[in-house]
C-alpha cells in the first residue's frame, strides 16, 4: 500500500512534473536562442514584473494626519484601502465598501467624504484626517470624550465614521437641533442602534462651543 | 475592480480630445456612482479621465439666469445662499438626495449621469437590457417595487434615481455640453430618455460629450414651493415617489405652476397635464386632489409597484398643499 508504485497520485505528479519541467526547459532554451542576453538577465531578476508593476502604478503625494507620504499606487486603490492596507491606519473602517454605511468617513481638505468611494489616485496633494489624527497626544478630541461619556456606541465598528461625521456636522453648521443632527448624520448607519446617544454626544459638543 | 489608467485633464478641450482617442475611456468627477459600478464590475473602463481639475465649479448669477458649473458639488449648490433664495426648490431637492458625505463629493454633472438603482442592473448574474442589451429584463415579472409606472417599455422598467434632476426638470433648466463637434445646449426635459428598445442609453449626450454647466432661467417660484420625497426611511434612501411642486400665487389664484415627479419613470417626469389643469384655479385641497388623480392617469404598474398610483396621487396632493401653505 505504501509503495510509491501503488500510489497513483504520486505517480501522476511525478509524471506531470517531469513533463512540465521538460516543457519549461525546452521553452527556456528556445527563448535563450532568440533573446539578447540583457533580457535574459532581466527575466531572471523578475525585472519585467517589476517594470509592469511600476507602469501600472501612479505616483501620489498625500498628507495623512499631518504626515506627508510619497507613494506609488495602483489607480484603482481607494483612499480607504490606501489608509488601511498601505499606511496601516486601520481606525477607518470598511463596512459596506459601497457608500451605504458611512463607516469609512474621513476628512479630505477639511470636508467629510466617504473614503470607500474615493480613488486615492485622484487625491494628489490632499490633506486627509482620520480618527487616528484627532487626539492631541494622549488627550482625546472633545467628540471622542463625548462619545465615551454618552455611550455613543455598542460594538464600536461604526464609531470612527460617526465621530468624523459628527465633528463635520457641527463645523458645517448642521447641528442646531436634534432633528437637524439626525438628518445630517443619516449617512452613518449604526446597527447597534446607538443613535440616541450619538445625538446626545454631538449636541453636548456643539453646546460646549469648543473650537473643533 | 479591473485596473485602469488614469489621467488628469487640465481643460474641457483636452478632456474631450483625450476621451475621443479611447474606446473604453470614461470621465470621472465625484466618482460616487462610477467607483461603485466599477467595484461591482457593471462598468469596466480601461481609462479614466479625471476632470476635477477643470474650471467648472462656479455658480454664476447672470442676467436672467443662473449658470451652475458641472463640477459644482451637490452640497455647494444646496447650501449656496443665493440659490436658496432664488431657486429654493433646487436646494430642497438636492438636500433630499444621498447623505452629506456623498453630497460633498457628488457633482451636478455626475448627478445627472448617475445610473438607475434597479437591483437587476447592479447584479451581473441577472439579466438586464440596460447593462447587457438583449439579455432581458429581470424586473418585469421580478422584484419591481421601486420601478417605473410611466413611459416604461418591454425592455426596461427602471427609474431615474436623482432628486436634483426632478427640480431641474420643473424649473425648465438647460444643459450645456461640449463635444468633439463643439458646444451645444439641450433642454433639461429632453436630456434624459425613455427606455424604448435602447435602455442602455440613459440620455441624449452623444459619444464623448462632456456636460459643462446647467442654466436655470429666472422665475417667480421662490416662495410657494416644496420637494416631497417618500421613501422607506426618513433620510438617506432613494425615492419610492417624489414630487417637485412650485406655485406662483396671486390672491390664492394659481398664476403659474410647475410639477415634476421622481421615482416613477426612466427620466424626470414632468406633469404637464396637471399643470395646465391647475392654471387659473383657486387654491383648494379638492383642486390639488383632482390634479393628483389626473397626473396618475395612464400609469401602468407591474405587480410590486401597484401602490405607486395611490401613493403618487397622494404625494402630488400633499406637495401642493404644503407649497401653497408656505
Amino acid at each position: 500500500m505504501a509503495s510509491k508504485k501503488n500510489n497513483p497520485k504520486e505517480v501522476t505528479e511525478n509524471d506531470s512534473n517531469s513533463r512540465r519541467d521538460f516543457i519549461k526547459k525546452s521553452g527556456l532554451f528556445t527563448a535563450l536562442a532568440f533573446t539578447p542576453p540583457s533580457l535574459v538577465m532581466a527575466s531572471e531578476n523578475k525585472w519585467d514584473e517589476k517594470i509592469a508593476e511600476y507602469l501600472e502604478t501612479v505616483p501620489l503625494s498625500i498628507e495623512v494626519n499631518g504626515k506627508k507620504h510619497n507613494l506609488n499606487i495602483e489607480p484603482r486603490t481607494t483612499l480607504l484601502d490606501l489608509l488601511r492596507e498601505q499606511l496601516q491606519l486601520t481606525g477607518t473602517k470598511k463596512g459596506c465598501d459601497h457608500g451605504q454605511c458611512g463607516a469609512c468617513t474621513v476628512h479630505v481638505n477639511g470636508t467629510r467624504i466617504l473614503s470607500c468611494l474615493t480613488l486615492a489616485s485622484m487625491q494628489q496633494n490632499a490633506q486627509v484626517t482620520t480618527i487616528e489624527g484627532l487626539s492631541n497626544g494622549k488627550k482625546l478630541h472633545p467628540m471622542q470624550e463625548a462619545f465615551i461619556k454618552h455611550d455613543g456606541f455598542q460594538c464600536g465598528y461604526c464609531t470612527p465614521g460617526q465621530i468624523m461625521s459628527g465633528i463635520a456636522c457641527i463645523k458645517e453648521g448642521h447641528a442646531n437641533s436634534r432633528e437637524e443632527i439626525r438628518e445630517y448624520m443619516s449617512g452613518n448607519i449604526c446597527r447597534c442602534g446607538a443613535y440616541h446617544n450619538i445625538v446626545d454626544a454631538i449636541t453636548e459638543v456643539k453646546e460646549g462651543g469648543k473650537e473643533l | 475592480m479591473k485596473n485602469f489608467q488614469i489621467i488628469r485633464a487640465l481643460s474641457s478641450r483636452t478632456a474631450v480630445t483625450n476621451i475621443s482617442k479611447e474606446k473604453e475611456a470614461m470621465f470621472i468627477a465625484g466618482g460616487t456612482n462610477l467607483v461603485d459600478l466599477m467595484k461591482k464590475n457593471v462598468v469596466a473602463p480601461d481609462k479614466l479621465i479625471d476632470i476635477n481639475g477643470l474650471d467648472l465649479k462656479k455658480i454664476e448669477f447672470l442676467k436672467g439666469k443662473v449658470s451652475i458649473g458641472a463640477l459644482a458639488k451637490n452640497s455647494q449648490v444646496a447650501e449656496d445662499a443665493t440659490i436658496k433664495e432664488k431657486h429654493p426648490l433646487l436646494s430642497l431637492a438636492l438636500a433630499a438626495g444621498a447623505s452629506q458625505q456623498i453630497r460633498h463629493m457628488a457633482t451636478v454633472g455626475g448627478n445627472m449621469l448617475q445610473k438607475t438603482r434597479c437591483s437587476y442592473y447592479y447584479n451581473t448574474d441577472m439579466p438586464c437590457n440596460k447593462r447587457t442589451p438583449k439579455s432581458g429584463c429581470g424586473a418585469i415579472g421580478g422584484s419591481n417595487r421601486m420601478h417605473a409606472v410611466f413611459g416604461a417599455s418591454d425592455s426596461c422598467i427602471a427609474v431615474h434615481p436623482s432628486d436634483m434632476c426632478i427640480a431641474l426638470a420643473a424649473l425648465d433648466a438647460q444643459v450645456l455640453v461640449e463635444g468633439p463637434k463643439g458646444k451645444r445646449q439641450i433642454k433639461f426635459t429632453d436630456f434624459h430618455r425613455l427606455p424604448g428598445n435602447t435602455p442602455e442609453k440613459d440620455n441624449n449626450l452623444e459619444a464623448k460629450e462632456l456636460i459643462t454647466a446647467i442654466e436655470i432661467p429666472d422665475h417667480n417660484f421662490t416662495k410657494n414651493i416644496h420637494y416631497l420625497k417618500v421613501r422607506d426611511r426618513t433620510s438617506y434612501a432613494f425615492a419610492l415617489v417624489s414630487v417637485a411642486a412650485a406655485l406662483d400665487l396671486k390672491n390664492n389664484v394659481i398664476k403659474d405652476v410647475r410639477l415634476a415627479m421622481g421615482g416613477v419613470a426612466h427620466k424626470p417626469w414632468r406633469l404637464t397635464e396637471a399643470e395646465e389643469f391647475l392654471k387659473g384655479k383657486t387654491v383648494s385641497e379638492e383642486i390639488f386632489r383632482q390634479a393628483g388623480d389626473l397626473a396618475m392617469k395612464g400609469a401602468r404598474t407591474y405587480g410590486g409597484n401597484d401602490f405607486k398610483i395611490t401613493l403618487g396621487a397622494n404625494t402630488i396632493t400633499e406637495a401642493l398643499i404644503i407649497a401653497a401653505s408656505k
Side-chain angles (χ1 to χ4, degrees), chain A residues 60-79:
Chain A
L60 174 74
S61 299
I62 194 165
E63 189 181 312
V64 182
N65 300 330
K67 192 178 168 195
K68 282 199 174 131
H69 299 269
N70 290 310
L71 308 158
N72 275 309
I73 59 160
E74 282 194 359
R76 63 181 162 181
T77 311
T78 61
L79 179 57

Side-chain angles (χ1 to χ4, degrees), chain B residues 286-302:
Chain B
E286 181 52 31
I287 281 297
F288 291 156
R289 169 71 49 201
Q290 286 176 20
D293 289 340
L294 178 67
M296 296 312 291
K297 267 188 190 163
R300 182 189 162 188
T301 58
Y302 295 86

Side-chain angles (χ1 to χ4, degrees), chain B residues 129-151:
Chain B
N129 288 322
K130 185 183 281 299
R131 175 173 28 81
T132 313
K134 307 209 188 313
S135 64
C137 172
I140 297 174
S143 172
N144 51 36
R145 184 168 169 270
M146 302 295 287
H147 289 70
V149 298
F150 291 121

Side-chain angles (χ1 to χ4, degrees), chain B residues 89-90 93 112 160 162-175 186-192 214-217 219 221 227 244-246 257-262 267-272 275:
Chain B
L89 186 62
L90 175 62
M112 289 166 61
H160 173 75
S162 165
D163 293 296
M164 176 194 81
C165 291
I166 310 307
L168 289 175
L171 296 174
D172 283 341
Q174 294 277 333
V175 186
I186 308 168
K187 213 173 132 184
F188 198 88
T189 43
D190 293 337
F191 182 82
H192 296 96
I214 53 155
E215 290 182 352
I216 310 170
H219 52 75
F221 304 108
Y227 186 76
V257 53
R258 304 279 175 79
L259 279 174
M261 229 175 160
K267 61 185 285 188
W269 197 250
R270 187 79 180 259
L271 308 174
T272 41
E275 287 178 11

Side-chain angles (χ1 to χ4, degrees), chain B residues 48-297:
Chain B
L48 288 182
I49 297 166
D50 175 2
I51 57 170
N52 288 290
L54 306 190
D55 183 22
L56 298 173
K57 300 180 181 80
K58 285 192 213 91
I59 304 173
E60 292 174 292
F61 296 92
L62 309 168
K63 200 181 170 203
K65 65 187 177 191
V66 57
S67 169
I68 303 174
L71 290 174
K73 302 288 186 190
N74 284 189
S75 56
Q76 175 196 348
V77 181
E79 294 175 24
D80 182 278
T82 318
I83 291 285
K84 276 184 172 175
E85 181 199 328
K86 289 187 158 188
H87 306 281
L89 186 62
L90 175 62
S91 178
L92 276 186
L94 274 164
S99 68
Q100 187 75 342
Q101 289 98 310
I102 293 175
R103 291 192 291 267
H104 283 329
M105 304 165 74
T107 63
V108 166
N111 188 319
M112 289 166 61
L113 298 180
Q114 64 177 312
K115 302 301 271 186
T116 180
R117 263 48 179 202
C118 173
S119 51
Y120 295 94
Y121 176 76
Y122 280 76
N123 188 339
T124 51
D125 292 331
M126 288 287 185
C128 171
N129 288 322
K130 185 183 281 299
R131 175 173 28 81
T132 313
K134 307 209 188 313
S135 64
C137 172
I140 297 174
S143 172
N144 51 36
R145 184 168 169 270
M146 302 295 287
H147 289 70
V149 298
F150 291 121
S153 72
D154 293 342
S155 301
C156 179
I157 61 170
V159 296
H160 173 75
S162 165
D163 293 296
M164 176 194 81
C165 291
I166 310 307
L168 289 175
L171 296 174
D172 283 341
Q174 294 277 333
V175 186
L176 276 63
V177 304
E178 188 172 337
K181 288 182 218 158
K183 298 178 180 183
R184 67 183 180 115
Q185 278 196 30
I186 308 168
K187 213 173 132 184
F188 198 88
T189 43
D190 293 337
F191 182 82
H192 296 96
R193 296 163 56 100
L194 289 179
N197 292 322
T198 52
E200 68 276 17
K201 287 186 178 175
D202 285 329
N203 56 61
N204 288 315
L205 270 185
E206 285 182 16
K208 322 299 184 193
E209 274 185 325
L210 175 73
I211 302 171
T212 55
I214 53 155
E215 290 182 352
I216 310 170
D218 288 349
H219 52 75
N220 290 326
F221 304 108
T222 51
K223 183 171 175 271
N224 296 112
I225 58 97
H226 195 60
Y227 186 76
L228 183 57
K229 183 176 180 182
V230 181
R231 43 190 158 172
D232 285 331
R233 52 186 187 201
T234 325
S235 180
Y236 199 24
F238 287 96
L240 288 164
V241 301
S242 68
V243 173
L247 294 162
D248 183 8
L249 301 176
K250 195 176 181 185
N251 301 328
N252 253 8
V253 175
I254 301 167
K255 273 173 67 189
D256 199 2
V257 53
R258 304 279 175 79
L259 279 174
M261 229 175 160
V264 292
H266 197 262
K267 61 185 285 188
W269 197 250
R270 187 79 180 259
L271 308 174
T272 41
E273 243 184 287
E275 287 178 11
E276 286 309 314
F277 168 79
L278 287 170
K279 273 179 200 165
K281 296 208 165 59
T282 304
V283 166
S284 76
E285 189 176 332
E286 181 52 31
I287 281 297
F288 291 156
R289 169 71 49 201
Q290 286 176 20
D293 289 340
L294 178 67
M296 296 312 291
K297 267 188 190 163

